[in-house]
Amino acid sequence: MKNDKEMSEENKVTQESVESTEMGNQQESEKAVHHEDDHHEEDHHEEEHHDVDYGNYSKKQLVGALKEIIEKGNFIKADHIVNDIKSHFEEDHYKKEREEALKDFLNDGGVEDDFQYRQSEEDKIFFALFGDFKNRRTEQIKSLEKEKEKNLYAKNQILEKLRELVDGEETTHSISTIKDIQQEWKEIGPVPGAQNKSLWASYNALMDRFYDNRSIYFELKELDRKKNLEGKIELCEKVEALNEEEDLRTAIKALNDLHEEFKHIGPVPREEQENVWQRFKGASDAIYAKRKAYYESQKEVFKENQVKKEALIKQLDEFKEFKANRIKEWNTKTKEILAIQKEWEAIGPVPRECGRDINRNFWGCFKQFFHNKNLFFKELDEIRRVNKEKAEGLIEKAEELKESTDWQNTSNALIKLQQEWKKLGPTPEKVRDELYRKFKSACDTFFDNRRQANKETNQEFEKNLELKEAICEKISALPGSEELTIEYLEKLVEEYNSIGFVPRKNIKGIAAKFNEAVESCVDVMDTDGENREEFLFRLNLNKIQSDPNSDRVFNKKEHGIRKQISDLENNITLWKNNLEFFASSKTADKLKDQFDQKIEKAEEEIEKLKKKLSILREF
């Protein structure tokens, strides 16, 4: 048997061996972490690409492609692919169809501001799927962050368990327990980056303490380290094999996975730790060197990309302060900015040292434009809300009038309401049709009632016809009598116009009879050509005045007269300018006389038209 002194010396040697070995293991683990971190930043420089060209896809195929991506469930990685699909859907199909619909609307006499594009079922399905994808992606990101927080909590719980084990009394089941803890730790996923380093430091420190405090398991630990050595040698062989991989991105991804696995394998015998680490590091460096050489060869390309992107940023900077009051102008600018975005996305990577600033500048301008656009549409929504309230007010008035039997006044009132309705600006799209349906229903109710009542008023129309024929007889009898005066004739015309409707079949006949009677009076009255024309004009206005739509007719006439005056004045100016070119012509005098006559005649016509305008203002 060994005496106490021998036992003490053996424990001392065992303890020193454990400390030495565990210190080497910690250094080895730290090297693996640091070596991976040296290259981790470069991995972000690589962009994931997809080989599918959606440019020739139909709308149905794009919807199918989007559904397929959603079913796969990898929303974070698939985001740029979905954005590509959305870009093709909008640019290749949706916007073209919308432009065609607008063109047809304008060709049919519509006004662009009134145009509201109705999406097809495929459009609605696509944008609903796109929104669903974005929501799921957001949820997946949140879920990932929550999972990291759960993992952080789980690892802290393991550290607490490990502390209890380290600080507790040594038992025969300590080694199996520590293996379970190691396996549990390894199986837990990633944690927030800010806590990763401190967790690893605490974990390694506690593991070192465990093996320091439990030197009786030294031989078992040595066997475990030999097993770990075998695992790490196998990883070295896998990394060395990656050097033959032609696809650099595939090799780098696999290498990162092997680094993660290398970190989680426990310590190896002290005498082997440097060799196995150098072998693993050397094989990794060979792949990293290939990637570095690739990026070195691409430096000039990256510089060219930088110049192109900086030019686009300068071009985009003009969009930051863009303001407009029309949807069309915003849509035009949006097309321009999306075209710039498409150019941007087509340009490859830029030098890593300036990538962050370039991206921040570009997307800053991009976001500012859409922020301003959103403000505009918020204001537009407020306008639509106000117009909705106005529309509801018109509906309320129309519904109050729909059962009225005051046909003439109510008809005039409803026509005015219809005119006000036409002048309304845009209303919220989701209630637009319902508002119009209610308003139209109220108007239709009244006019249907009036048509029904008109069947009962045929006798009244016949009576009106008799009254109008009597007045026509009076007017026809005026020529040659002493009663023929302008005042009396105007009185009879006013009386005629005040009489209501006649049967539809007699409208043209009584109108012709009336006009013939008035003409017979005008022919024998003491008026020259100009006064006759003015008198007939007055009579015509007097007749129009009884029309429910008289204001609109008067405005139309005034507009027509003003246009005639403007056209004549333009012609006079043109003719006067032409006279200057006839001075050197042999037929100058003859041409000058012709143009003088034209100018004189036009000026006389302008005076007549101005008198008509003056008369029109009296009504």
Side-chain angles (χ1 to χ4, degrees), residues 9 19 139 153 205 239 243 280 285 287 291 338 440 465 487 491 494 537 540:
E9 287 297 321
E19 288 181 358
E139 290 303 317
Y153 177 81
V239 174
N243 201 33
F280 185 78
D285 285 344
I287 297 172
R291 183 178 62 179
L338 291 177
K440 185 176 183 299
L465 177 61
E487 291 77 10
K491 179 183 176 183
E494 185 176 352
F537 185 67
N540 186 41

Side-chain angles (χ1 to χ4, degrees), residues 214-351:
R214 287 152 181 82
S215 59
I216 60 173
Y217 294 110
F218 176 71
E219 290 183 7
L220 294 175
K221 186 62 181 175
E222 284 301 308
L223 290 174
D224 192 47
R225 286 175 175 173
K226 288 178 182 179
K227 187 177 179 181
N228 292 341
L229 176 62
E230 292 174 2
K232 289 193 174 181
I233 289 173
E234 184 180 348
L235 292 183
C236 289
E237 292 171 351
K238 289 182 179 180
V239 174
E240 288 164 352
L242 285 177
N243 201 33
E244 304 300 322
E245 174 63 52
E246 294 182 1
D247 188 343
L248 193 57
R249 286 194 298 273
T250 301
I252 292 296
K253 185 179 184 304
L255 180 60
N256 289 337
D257 293 338
L258 292 174
H259 266 266
E260 188 69 19
E261 193 173 346
F262 189 91
K263 275 198 307 182
H264 285 87
I265 294 179
V268 300
R270 180 177 179 81
E271 64 274 12
E272 296 292 342
Q273 68 180 30
E274 186 62 25
N275 290 337
V276 74
W277 166 245
Q278 288 300 331
R279 181 178 176 182
F280 185 78
K281 179 179 179 297
S284 299
D285 285 344
I287 297 172
Y288 288 134
K290 287 173 68 176
R291 183 178 62 179
K292 185 177 180 182
Y294 168 76
Y295 283 117
E296 286 292 333
S297 68
Q298 294 294 302
K299 273 188 176 180
E300 289 303 317
V301 176
F302 292 168
K303 275 288 184 184
E304 291 177 9
N305 293 341
Q306 179 184 351
V307 172
K308 292 177 183 177
K309 286 195 172 184
E310 286 173 345
L312 290 181
I313 291 171
K314 186 175 180 182
Q315 188 176 345
L316 195 62
D317 190 62
E318 300 174 2
F319 287 73
K320 286 198 303 184
E321 304 303 325
F322 176 76
K323 295 287 191 300
N325 295 320
R326 297 173 64 85
I327 295 177
K328 180 182 178 182
E329 295 175 11
W330 279 107
N331 290 341
T332 299
K333 280 295 177 184
T334 300
K335 288 180 183 177
E336 293 177 15
I337 200 173
L338 291 177
I340 293 174
Q341 180 193 11
K342 201 169 182 181
E343 286 186 58
W344 175 275
E345 292 171 348
I347 299 172
V350 299

Side-chain angles (χ1 to χ4, degrees), residues 478-481 484 518-527 532:
L478 286 178
S481 71
L484 179 58
V518 172
E519 286 288 342
S520 67
C521 291
V522 174
D523 287 340
V524 299
M525 290 176 70
D526 186 16
T527 56
R532 172 189 173 88

Side-chain angles (χ1 to χ4, degrees), residues 65-79 82 133 136-141:
L66 182 53
K67 283 182 180 177
E68 184 179 346
I69 290 173
I70 292 174
E71 288 170 0
K72 289 181 179 178
N74 199 345
F75 304 106
I76 296 174
K77 285 188 177 180
D79 186 55
V82 171
F133 173 87
R136 292 195 188 189
R137 179 179 177 273
T138 301
E139 290 303 317
Q140 192 173 71
I141 292 172

